Coordinates of all heavy atoms in Angstrom, one line a residue:
V57 N -6.2 16.3 -0.6 CA -6.8 17.6 -0.8 C -7.0 17.9 -2.3 O -8.0 18.4 -2.7 CB -6.0 18.8 -0.1 CG1 -6.4 20.1 -0.5 CG2 -6.2 18.6 1.5
K58 N -5.9 17.6 -3.1 CA -6.0 17.8 -4.5 C -7.1 17.1 -5.1 O -7.9 17.6 -5.9 CB -4.6 17.4 -5.1 CG -4.5 17.6 -6.6 CD -3.2 17.2 -7.1 CE -3.1 17.2 -8.6 NZ -1.8 16.7 -9.1
A59 N -7.3 15.8 -4.7 CA -8.4 15.0 -5.3 C -9.7 15.5 -4.8 O -10.7 15.6 -5.7 CB -8.2 13.5 -4.8
M60 N -9.8 16.0 -3.6 CA -11.1 16.6 -3.2 C -11.4 17.9 -3.9 O -12.6 18.1 -4.3 CB -11.0 16.9 -1.7 CG -10.9 15.6 -0.8 SD -10.4 16.0 0.9 CE -12.0 16.6 1.6
R61 N -10.4 18.7 -4.2 CA -10.7 19.9 -5.0 C -11.2 19.6 -6.4 O -12.0 20.3 -6.9 CB -9.4 20.8 -5.1 CG -9.0 21.5 -3.8 CD -8.0 22.5 -4.0 NE -7.7 23.1 -2.7 CZ -8.4 24.0 -2.1 NH1 -9.6 24.3 -2.6 NH2 -8.1 24.5 -0.9
Q62 N -10.7 18.5 -7.0 CA -11.1 18.2 -8.3 C -12.5 17.6 -8.4 O -13.1 17.6 -9.5 CB -10.1 17.1 -8.9 CG -8.7 17.7 -9.1 CD -7.7 16.6 -9.5 OE1 -8.0 15.4 -9.4 NE2 -6.6 17.0 -10.0
S63 N -13.1 17.3 -7.2 CA -14.4 16.7 -7.2 C -15.5 17.8 -7.1 O -16.7 17.5 -7.2 CB -14.6 15.8 -6.0 OG -14.7 16.5 -4.8
I64 N -15.1 19.1 -6.9 CA -16.1 20.1 -6.7 C -15.9 21.2 -7.8 O -14.9 21.2 -8.5 CB -16.1 20.7 -5.3 CG1 -14.7 21.2 -5.0 CG2 -16.6 19.7 -4.3 CD1 -14.5 21.9 -3.6
S65 N -16.8 22.1 -7.9 CA -16.7 23.2 -8.8 C -15.5 24.1 -8.6 O -15.0 24.1 -7.4 CB -17.9 24.1 -8.8 OG -18.0 24.9 -7.6
E66 N -15.0 24.7 -9.6 CA -13.8 25.6 -9.4 C -14.2 26.7 -8.5 O -13.3 27.1 -7.7 CB -13.4 26.2 -10.8 CG -12.1 26.9 -10.8 CD -11.7 27.4 -12.1 OE1 -12.0 26.7 -13.1 OE2 -10.9 28.4 -12.2
E67 N -15.4 27.2 -8.5 CA -15.8 28.3 -7.7 C -15.7 27.9 -6.2 O -15.2 28.6 -5.4 CB -17.3 28.7 -8.0 CG -17.9 29.7 -7.0 CD -19.4 29.9 -7.2 OE1 -19.9 29.5 -8.3 OE2 -20.0 30.5 -6.3
S68 N -16.3 26.7 -5.9 CA -16.2 26.2 -4.5 C -14.7 25.9 -4.1 O -14.3 26.3 -3.0 CB -17.0 24.9 -4.4 OG -18.4 25.1 -4.4
S69 N -14.0 25.4 -5.0 CA -12.6 25.1 -4.7 C -11.8 26.3 -4.3 O -11.0 26.3 -3.4 CB -11.9 24.4 -5.9 OG -10.6 24.0 -5.6
K70 N -12.1 27.4 -5.0 CA -11.4 28.7 -4.7 C -11.7 29.3 -3.3 O -10.9 29.9 -2.7 CB -11.8 29.7 -5.7 CG -11.1 29.5 -7.1 CD -11.5 30.6 -8.1 CE -10.8 30.3 -9.4 NZ -11.2 31.3 -10.4
I71 N -12.9 29.0 -2.8 CA -13.3 29.6 -1.5 C -13.0 28.7 -0.3 O -13.1 29.2 0.8 CB -14.8 30.0 -1.5 CG1 -15.7 28.8 -1.6 CG2 -15.1 31.0 -2.5 CD1 -17.2 29.1 -1.3
Y72 N -12.6 27.5 -0.5 CA -12.2 26.6 0.6 C -10.7 26.5 0.8 O -10.0 26.0 0.0 CB -12.7 25.1 0.3 CG -14.2 25.0 0.1 CD1 -14.7 23.9 -0.6 CD2 -15.1 25.9 0.6 CE1 -16.1 23.8 -0.8 CE2 -16.5 25.7 0.4 CZ -17.0 24.7 -0.3 OH -18.3 24.5 -0.5
P73 N -10.3 27.0 1.9 CA -8.9 26.9 2.3 C -8.5 25.4 2.5 O -9.4 24.6 2.9 CB -8.7 27.7 3.5 CG -10.0 28.3 3.9 CD -11.0 27.8 3.0
D74 N -7.3 25.1 2.3 CA -6.8 23.7 2.6 C -7.2 23.3 4.0 O -7.6 22.1 4.1 CB -5.3 23.6 2.4 CG -4.9 23.6 0.9 OD1 -5.7 23.6 0.0 OD2 -3.6 23.6 0.7
D75 N -7.1 24.1 4.9 CA -7.5 23.8 6.3 C -8.9 23.2 6.4 O -9.1 22.3 7.2 CB -7.2 24.9 7.3 CG -5.8 25.2 7.6 OD1 -4.9 24.3 7.2 OD2 -5.5 26.3 8.1
E76 N -9.8 23.8 5.7 CA -11.2 23.3 5.7 C -11.3 21.9 5.1 O -12.1 21.0 5.7 CB -12.1 24.3 5.0 CG -12.3 25.6 5.7 CD -13.0 25.5 7.0 OE1 -13.8 24.6 7.3 OE2 -12.7 26.3 7.9
L77 N -10.6 21.6 4.1 CA -10.6 20.3 3.5 C -9.9 19.3 4.4 O -10.3 18.1 4.5 CB -10.0 20.3 2.1 CG -10.7 21.2 1.1 CD1 -10.1 21.2 -0.3 CD2 -12.2 20.8 1.0
L78 N -8.8 19.7 5.0 CA -8.1 18.9 6.0 C -9.0 18.6 7.2 O -8.9 17.5 7.8 CB -6.8 19.5 6.5 CG -5.7 19.6 5.4 CD1 -4.6 20.5 5.9 CD2 -5.2 18.2 5.1
N79 N -9.8 19.5 7.6 CA -10.8 19.3 8.6 C -11.8 18.1 8.2 O -12.1 17.3 9.1 CB -11.6 20.6 8.9 CG -12.5 20.4 10.1 OD1 -12.2 19.8 11.1 ND2 -13.8 20.9 9.9
I80 N -12.2 18.1 7.0 CA -13.1 17.0 6.6 C -12.3 15.7 6.6 O -12.9 14.7 7.1 CB -13.6 17.3 5.1 CG1 -14.6 18.4 5.2 CG2 -14.2 16.0 4.5 CD1 -15.1 18.9 3.8
I81 N -11.1 15.7 6.2 CA -10.2 14.5 6.3 C -10.2 14.0 7.8 O -10.3 12.9 8.1 CB -8.8 14.7 5.8 CG1 -8.9 14.9 4.2 CG2 -7.9 13.5 6.1 CD1 -7.7 15.3 3.6
D82 N -9.9 15.0 8.7 CA -9.9 14.7 10.1 C -11.2 14.1 10.6 O -11.2 13.1 11.4 CB -9.5 15.9 11.0 CG -8.1 16.3 10.8 OD1 -7.2 15.5 10.3 OD2 -7.7 17.5 11.2
I83 N -12.3 14.7 10.2 CA -13.6 14.2 10.6 C -13.8 12.7 10.1 O -14.3 11.9 10.8 CB -14.7 15.1 10.0 CG1 -14.7 16.4 10.7 CG2 -16.1 14.4 10.2 CD1 -15.6 17.5 10.1
I84 N -13.4 12.5 8.9 CA -13.5 11.1 8.3 C -12.7 10.1 9.1 O -13.2 9.1 9.5 CB -13.0 11.1 6.8 CG1 -14.0 11.8 5.9 CG2 -12.8 9.6 6.3 CD1 -13.6 12.1 4.5
W85 N -11.4 10.5 9.4 CA -10.6 9.6 10.2 C -11.0 9.4 11.6 O -10.9 8.3 12.2 CB -9.1 10.0 10.1 CG -8.6 9.7 8.7 CD1 -8.8 10.4 7.6 CD2 -7.9 8.4 8.3 NE1 -8.2 9.7 6.5 CE2 -7.7 8.5 6.9 CE3 -7.5 7.3 9.0 CZ2 -7.0 7.5 6.2 CZ3 -6.9 6.3 8.3 CH2 -6.6 6.4 6.9
D86 N -11.6 10.5 12.2 CA -12.2 10.3 13.6 C -13.4 9.4 13.5 O -13.6 8.6 14.4 CB -12.7 11.7 14.1 CG -11.5 12.6 14.5 OD1 -10.4 12.1 14.6 OD2 -11.8 13.8 14.7
W87 N -14.2 9.4 12.5 CA -15.3 8.5 12.3 C -14.8 7.1 12.2 O -15.4 6.1 12.8 CB -16.1 8.9 11.1 CG -17.4 8.1 10.9 CD1 -18.6 8.3 11.4 CD2 -17.5 6.9 10.0 NE1 -19.5 7.4 11.0 CE2 -18.9 6.5 10.1 CE3 -16.7 6.2 9.2 CZ2 -19.4 5.4 9.4 CZ3 -17.1 5.1 8.5 CH2 -18.5 4.7 8.6
Y88 N -13.7 6.9 11.4 CA -13.1 5.5 11.3 C -12.8 5.0 12.7 O -13.0 3.9 13.1 CB -11.8 5.6 10.5 CG -12.0 5.7 9.0 CD1 -10.9 6.1 8.2 CD2 -13.2 5.6 8.3 CE1 -11.0 6.2 6.9 CE2 -13.3 5.7 7.0 CZ -12.2 6.1 6.2 OH -12.3 6.2 4.9
D89 N -12.1 5.9 13.5 CA -11.6 5.5 14.8 C -12.8 5.2 15.7 O -12.8 4.2 16.4 CB -10.8 6.7 15.4 CG -10.1 6.3 16.7 OD1 -9.7 5.1 16.8 OD2 -10.0 7.1 17.6
E90 N -13.9 6.0 15.7 CA -15.0 5.8 16.5 C -15.8 4.5 16.2 O -16.4 3.9 17.0 CB -16.0 7.0 16.4 CG -15.5 8.3 17.0 CD -16.4 9.5 16.5 OE1 -17.4 9.3 15.9 OE2 -15.9 10.6 16.8
N91 N -15.6 4.0 14.9 CA -16.3 2.8 14.5 C -15.4 1.6 14.4 O -15.7 0.6 13.8 CB -16.9 3.1 13.1 CG -18.1 4.0 13.2 OD1 -19.2 3.5 13.5 ND2 -18.0 5.3 13.0
G92 N -14.2 1.8 15.0 CA -13.3 0.6 15.1 C -12.6 0.2 13.8 O -12.0 -0.8 13.8
L93 N -12.6 1.1 12.9 CA -12.0 0.7 11.6 C -10.5 1.0 11.5 O -9.9 0.6 10.5 CB -12.7 1.5 10.4 CG -14.2 1.2 10.3 CD1 -14.8 2.2 9.3 CD2 -14.5 -0.2 9.9
L94 N -10.0 1.6 12.6 CA -8.5 1.8 12.6 C -7.8 0.8 13.5 O -6.6 0.8 13.6 CB -8.2 3.2 13.1 CG -8.7 4.3 12.2 CD1 -8.3 5.7 12.8 CD2 -8.1 4.2 10.8
D95 N -8.6 -0.1 14.2 CA -8.0 -1.1 15.0 C -7.1 -2.0 14.2 O -7.5 -2.4 13.1 CB -9.1 -1.9 15.7 CG -9.9 -1.1 16.7 OD1 -9.5 0.0 17.1 OD2 -11.0 -1.5 17.0

Side-chain angles (χ1 to χ4, degrees):
V57 166
K58 181 179 172 184
M60 293 168 77
R61 287 194 182 285
Q62 292 172 348
S63 74
I64 55 176
S65 71
E66 188 175 334
E67 176 190 344
S68 290
S69 183
K70 286 180 180 179
I71 63 171
Y72 300 156
D74 284 356
D75 284 347
E76 291 297 329
L77 300 179
L78 290 168
N79 184 44
I80 291 175
I81 293 171
D82 287 344
I83 292 169
I84 291 170
W85 286 83
D86 287 346
W87 184 86
Y88 288 165
D89 189 36
E90 291 168 10
N91 288 277
L93 299 173
L94 297 180
D95 296 341

